[in-house]
Amino acid sequence: MRDYGIGGSFILLTSIIGTERGLYPGSAAYGSCLAGVNHLSRALAMELGKYKIRVNAVARGLHKSDAFIKTVSEEKQQKSVKDIVPLQRWLDVKNDLTSMVLYLVSDDSSFTTGIVIFVDGGQSIVRPRMRSYM
């Protein structure tokens, strides 16, 4: 992209665990790594902007396939989602994430760089302590 002068877009995939404290016990190492990815998106945006290269990150919310969510029963998952997610449903990886990534790689987002966009149904607003719900 840089060498050909065509610009472009990098999308880094991360999770709300990299920005929200204490979502569940045992996530310190994983959350710290994702926080590094979030910072990398901002730092690269500063460095690559002069080449018309945009860098953004998409922080996904928790979804039913996450290892922690799968440790509880289906009934508990359905009950908990109403308290954990303001939109009252788990993330649909295929549709929810895909639409955001497509937007970020398109020309419609040509002036968007260096941000972490949350695709989490509002989980990052509520900041639940997962153990208290599950």
Side-chain angles (χ1 to χ4, degrees), residues 63-85 88-90 130 133-134:
H63 58 86
K64 288 179 72 170
S65 297
D66 279 326
F68 181 76
I69 303 297
K70 291 183 346 185
T71 64
V72 298
S73 70
E74 180 72 27
E75 180 183 336
K76 186 74 169 171
Q77 289 176 21
Q78 292 306 317
K79 183 179 176 212
S80 299
V81 74
K82 292 179 180 12
D83 294 324
I84 295 170
V85 187
Q88 299 192 352
R89 69 175 177 84
W90 294 112
M130 296 302 290
Y133 289 110
M134 304 190 129

Side-chain angles (χ1 to χ4, degrees), residues 26-47:
S27 64
Y30 182 57
S32 298
C33 291
L34 292 176
V37 171
N38 295 343
H39 179 73
L40 180 64
S41 69
R42 293 185 292 275
L44 284 175
M46 291 290 294
E47 292 181 20

Side-chain angles (χ1 to χ4, degrees), residues 64-120:
K64 288 179 72 170
S65 297
D66 279 326
F68 181 76
I69 303 297
K70 291 183 346 185
T71 64
V72 298
S73 70
E74 180 72 27
E75 180 183 336
K76 186 74 169 171
Q77 289 176 21
Q78 292 306 317
K79 183 179 176 212
S80 299
V81 74
K82 292 179 180 12
D83 294 324
I84 295 170
V85 187
L87 291 182
Q88 299 192 352
R89 69 175 177 84
W90 294 112
L91 173 77
D92 178 345
V93 175
K94 182 179 176 184
N95 294 312
D96 297 330
L97 287 182
T98 301
S99 61
M100 182 55 68
V101 170
L102 289 174
Y103 166 72
L104 289 172
V105 298
S106 75
D107 290 337
D108 291 338
S109 66
S110 63
F111 202 64
T112 304
T113 194
I115 61 169
V116 177
I117 296 178
F118 293 83
V119 179
D120 67 354

